[in-house]
Amino acid sequence: MRTAYFQSIGGASGDMVLGSLIDSGVPLEHIEGALGLMGVRGVTLTSDQELRGGLTGRFVRVMLDEDARRRRSFGDFIEIVHNSDLPETVKERSVSIFRRLELAEVSAHRSADAGGHLHELGTLDTLVDVVGSVVGLEYLEVERVCASPFPMGYGTIRSEHGALPVPSPATAEIFVMSSVPIAPAPGGAAVTGEMVTPTGAAIITVLADFEQPDMWVESVGYGLGARDPEEYPNALALWIGDADDPDVKEGYAPEICLLETNVDDTTGEVLGFTMERLFEFGALDVWFTPIQMKKNRPATMISAIVNAFEVERLSLILMTETSTLGVRVRPISRIEAEREVRTINTKLYGPVRVKVKMMDGEPIDVSPEYEDCRRLAQERDEPLQIVYNFARVEAELQILGGEPTG
């Protein structure tokens, strides 16, 4: 499994993530191409080789013209991403990062509209950092991202809100909501300035597991911060290499969570639409359970299994599409059989796709794809179950061998 490991030597920020990716082989032009796909204008990127202490790496500058410096909200950033020609995976991960930043701002400032009144995070350099980081990892064909603990840092910084502690309230909220490990400042530095920015924290916490993987190292790149302290190199290292997939090796699915919420005043039409929306935005499974709530009122429990990095976005769908006031979140594990999709050529109906369940590399069960069977039934004006059963028998003979079970 192609693996990336972010080592926060001197902290992490959006431009340090970009610098580490470019130093690891991502062309600057590829990041600029993503800006073109979003229709972003007025942004200039530069990447210079510089020193921090004795360490050589890449320092990325994001320069904005007057219009690009105009303040925007997270909603604006999300709309730009949704309306772009970026790949869907880039859109999904970028939006998840913006959602985490938005939640952190709302929580840090104790204001529901904090995400709409941004200060330092409200210019297009935040959009460039987030989308550029996701695009860069996809360019390197990274399948899994890991990260070291964040250095906490000490001291204060100036902001448009006034003096703030290190880490800033928004960064601290991301640390809390993501349950990340933190470490003292390197070299025992008493006053460090800001070591981890909200954008850097959001990018890494959404994309990464906080563990050091066993890996065969292919390259290491360094993204540099603007400051050059004496106590430590102000750099973020990015190690790229191959590692065993722990989920495949141990038989467990990637980290997933169970979302649950109870509603007693939502119509069946709204429930059905909510299920469609959850699946549309990446839910792995969704189901409804009849329950009783206060005063024995009949109600529905909505349950959804989701990838951990999608928790915030899919919780937001539940909150906006139904009347619920809260969503329960529990990390879970599940054991999955291997699976693959094959196409068989049936005698009566031609090509049909079939899902094949595997154990230890051997096929043990088959299931024709519903959409293929539905289309063929409509085209031939035949009952769906006849088409489905015939395709299943053919699949068992061709893939499993021996006598069919149905």
Side-chain angles (χ1 to χ4, degrees), residues 2 9 56 73 77 191 203 234 261 267 290 300 329 332 360 399:
R2 186 122 169 119
I9 300 170
T56 302
S73 69
F77 293 151
V191 178
I203 292 169
N234 188 18
T261 191
T267 67
T300 301
V329 181
I332 61 174
D360 297 325
I399 297 174

Side-chain angles (χ1 to χ4, degrees), residues 280-314:
E280 178 185 351
F281 282 90
L284 304 175
D285 201 0
V286 183
W287 67 94
F288 302 139
T289 306
I291 59 172
Q292 273 79 40
M293 291 177 65
K294 294 176 182 177
K295 300 180 181 179
N296 289 322
R297 292 196 300 265
T300 301
M301 180 169 67
I302 307 173
S303 303
I305 295 177
V306 306
N307 288 309
F309 65 85
E310 300 283 16
V311 163
E312 284 148 12
R313 180 169 66 160
L314 296 183

Side-chain angles (χ1 to χ4, degrees), residues 261 263 266-276 278-279 285-291 299-304 318 322:
T261 191
V263 293
T266 302
T267 67
E269 291 88 349
V270 170
L271 288 173
F273 181 76
T274 302
M275 175 182 282
E276 292 175 6
L278 290 169
F279 277 125
D285 201 0
V286 183
W287 67 94
F288 302 139
T289 306
I291 59 172
T300 301
M301 180 169 67
I302 307 173
S303 303
L318 287 170
T322 74

Side-chain angles (χ1 to χ4, degrees), residues 349 382-391:
Y349 302 112
E382 294 187 17
L384 172 63
Q385 60 181 339
I386 290 179
V387 176
Y388 181 90
N389 289 335
F390 184 86

Side-chain angles (χ1 to χ4, degrees), residues 110-127:
R110 309 296 193 266
S111 171
D113 64 351
H117 297 84
L118 302 179
H119 294 271
E120 286 84 0
L121 297 178
T123 54
L124 282 179
D125 52 344
T126 301
L127 178 71

Side-chain angles (χ1 to χ4, degrees), residues 109 119-120 156-165 168-169 194:
H109 299 295
H119 294 271
E120 286 84 0
T156 59
I157 55 173
R158 299 297 304 178
S159 76
E160 294 185 23
H161 298 290
L164 292 175
S168 71
E194 188 174 36

Side-chain angles (χ1 to χ4, degrees), residues 82-101:
H82 276 318
N83 293 336
S84 74
D85 293 323
L86 292 166
E88 287 302 316
T89 53
V90 173
K91 291 182 181 181
E92 291 173 7
R93 290 168 184 163
S94 299
V95 168
S96 294
I97 294 168
F98 287 127
R99 294 293 188 204
R100 182 156 299 184
L101 279 167

Side-chain angles (χ1 to χ4, degrees), residues 344 366 368 388-399 404-406:
I344 64 168
V366 292
Y388 181 90
N389 289 335
F390 184 86
R392 180 179 177 86
V393 170
E394 288 272 314
E396 289 179 345
L397 289 170
Q398 294 183 34
I399 297 174
T405 60

